[in-house]
Amino acid sequence: MLTVLLIVAALVVGVGLMTGLRIVPQAKVMVVERLGRFHHVAHSGLNVLIPLMDSPRAIEMRTGNRYLRSNTVDLREQVMGFDTVQVITHDNVTMEVGSVIYYQITDPAKTLYQVENLALAIEQLTMTNLRNIMGGLTLDQTLTSRETVNTKLRIVLDEATEKWGVKVTRVELREIEPPQAIKDAMAKQMTAERERRAEVTKAEGDKAAAILQAEGEKISRILRAEAERDAEVARAEGHKRAVVLEAEAKAEATRLVFEAVHSGRATPEILALRYLETLQELGKGDNKVFVPYEASAALGSVGMLKELFAKEGTAATPAGKPAPSAAALSAQSLARSVMQPPQAQPVRRGASPAQDE
């Protein structure tokens, strides 16, 4: 009988020891209660619990759409996604918004004793704050300010869950679905906006092209005017150079003729012959007036005398009647010699024509 009792006692002790030994995985902890009260937190590794006195506190966690109870608390960062909820924007547009939050348990004791169901509390808190934030924004702001909504929602959830021993690390809006009518209106607006931008771009292109064309024509006219000016200057310089060269050529020809005449000692007969040749050249054509070579000198002297007589007549007074000057007497004698016909020179007898020449 004693042996049976010892065996039963040994079995009870063995079962108690087996149930008192608990192994906690890495990155997880176990909240241990003794006689129904919080005792300590068992960390990863081998832990010994007193049978019938110590017991782990179970926690309810959400995995997907299911809630699971576990004796250990996971300290890793958790992901919780929510179905789309209907929200109303500030401009009375109803849309469906889905979100995802990332959180991490920092104090397992607070998580178990400060809130009854952590997953449900976070879900309801997220939905209500999401409706509040989206209700303060217009439709365009909700579509273009996702980062602002994410930041505001994360700050609100982090402040609310801090007393639960939870740290909300990140919040993301998964999807925003406006009504179909709003989608159609947005599509039409987007099409109209793109057409407007295309028209503006085309108008700016036409404007730039017109400006470039005008600038090109302006530069072309300026270059054409400069080219014409340079051409006129070049032609004027060429004409000037040609005139100068022609004048220099005539001067050089006259100088050469003069030197040839003086060096060759031309006689009056040769000069008269050249005079006749020149008259022959000048006689080619109509409407010509010829002045004899012998009368040119006489006409020039007459003109000079006329001027001298005019000056003498204006200088003399009727009362005084002064005597004529030497210049006047010389001019009068010169005029008489010019007006008298030339006398024939006597020809010496016995002189040959060659000697006369």
Side-chain angles (χ1 to χ4, degrees):
M1 187 66 182
L2 183 59
T3 304
V4 174
L5 292 175
L6 291 174
I7 293 172
V8 172
L11 290 174
V12 171
V13 172
V15 172
L17 292 174
M18 292 296 296
T19 55
L21 296 177
R22 297 295 180 90
I23 298 177
V24 180
Q26 180 68 29
K28 291 184 178 182
V29 295
M30 180 184 294
V31 177
V32 179
E33 293 179 346
R34 177 169 294 179
L35 299 178
R37 298 180 61 183
F38 172 74
H39 184 262
H40 69 281
V41 177
H43 297 280
S44 59
L46 181 62
N47 295 271
V48 178
L49 303 180
I50 300 175
L52 302 179
M53 295 181 63
D54 295 340
S55 62
R57 176 67 180 265
I59 186 174
E60 189 173 358
M61 301 294 294
R62 179 178 175 176
T63 304
N65 293 327
R66 297 181 302 171
Y67 292 92
L68 301 178
R69 295 180 62 88
S70 175
N71 292 330
T72 58
V73 179
D74 198 339
L75 299 180
R76 295 174 296 179
E77 188 172 1
Q78 304 293 319
V79 181
M80 186 181 298
F82 305 106
D83 296 333
T84 56
V85 295
Q86 288 188 352
V87 297
I88 300 176
T89 62
H90 184 71
D91 49 356
N92 297 324
V93 177
T94 303
M95 62 176 59
E96 295 183 355
V97 181
S99 60
V100 178
I101 68 169
Y102 297 82
Y103 68 95
Q104 185 177 9
I105 296 176
T106 57
D107 192 341
K110 290 183 177 180
T111 302
L112 290 172
Y113 296 108
Q114 295 294 332
V115 61
E116 179 182 1
N117 190 330
L118 178 64
L120 182 60
I122 292 177
E123 180 180 1
Q124 296 300 321
L125 184 64
T126 302
M127 290 182 179
T128 54
N129 284 279
L130 182 60
R131 288 192 178 98
N132 293 333
I133 294 174
M134 298 297 285
L137 301 175
T138 62
L139 175 62
D140 294 336
Q141 291 176 345
T142 57
L143 297 176
T144 59
S145 304
R146 287 196 175 193
E147 188 65 28
T148 303
V149 176
N150 296 338
T151 303
K152 290 182 178 181
L153 188 58
R154 183 188 62 81
I155 293 174
V156 172
L157 292 178
D158 191 24
E159 292 177 354
T161 58
E162 183 179 3
K163 63 180 181 179
W164 300 341
V166 175
K167 174 69 176 176
V168 177
T169 58
R170 193 172 182 180
V171 178
E172 295 289 342
L173 294 181
R174 185 175 59 195
E175 56 188 0
I176 299 176
E177 291 292 337
Q180 188 62 37
I182 299 297
K183 289 183 179 180
D184 296 339
M186 292 172 60
K188 293 180 180 179
Q189 181 181 3
M190 181 180 61
T191 303
E193 180 67 19
R194 289 182 178 178
E195 292 178 354
R196 184 188 66 83
R197 291 180 181 178
E199 292 295 332
V200 171
T201 304
K202 183 177 180 300
E204 291 178 353
D206 294 340
K207 176 183 176 182
I211 292 174
L212 292 177
Q213 185 177 1
E215 291 179 353
E217 292 179 357
K218 175 182 176 182
I219 295 173
S220 176
R221 292 180 180 178
I222 292 174
L223 293 178
R224 191 180 300 111
E226 291 179 354
E228 292 177 358
R229 181 197 63 190
D230 295 341
E232 291 294 335
V233 171
R235 282 194 294 267
E237 291 180 352
H239 181 68
K240 174 185 175 182
R241 184 62 179 168
V243 172
V244 171
L245 292 177
E246 184 179 359
E248 291 178 353
K250 290 181 179 180
E252 183 67 19
T254 304
R255 185 183 62 80
L256 293 176
V257 171
F258 184 78
E259 290 180 356
V261 170
H262 284 276
S263 63
R265 297 180 180 180
T267 61
E269 290 79 4
I270 297 176
L271 295 177
L273 180 61
R274 294 294 300 169
Y275 173 72
L276 293 175
E277 292 178 355
T278 306
L279 287 179
Q280 185 179 2
E281 293 293 332
L282 293 175
K284 295 178 180 180
D286 300 332
N287 300 326
K288 298 293 191 298
V289 177
F290 297 97
V291 178
Y293 175 72
E294 294 81 359
S296 60
L299 292 175
S301 300
V302 170
M304 181 179 66
L305 291 175
K306 182 179 180 182
E307 293 179 0
L308 290 175
F309 286 150
K311 293 180 181 179
E312 290 295 334
T314 55
T317 58
K321 293 184 180 180
S325 62
L329 294 175
S330 300
Q332 292 175 3
S333 61
L334 180 60
R336 285 194 295 268
S337 63
V338 170
M339 298 303 295
Q340 292 178 359
Q343 299 179 359
Q345 296 181 358
V347 180
R348 290 178 298 176
R349 296 182 178 178
S352 61
Q355 291 178 354
D356 293 337
E357 294 178 2

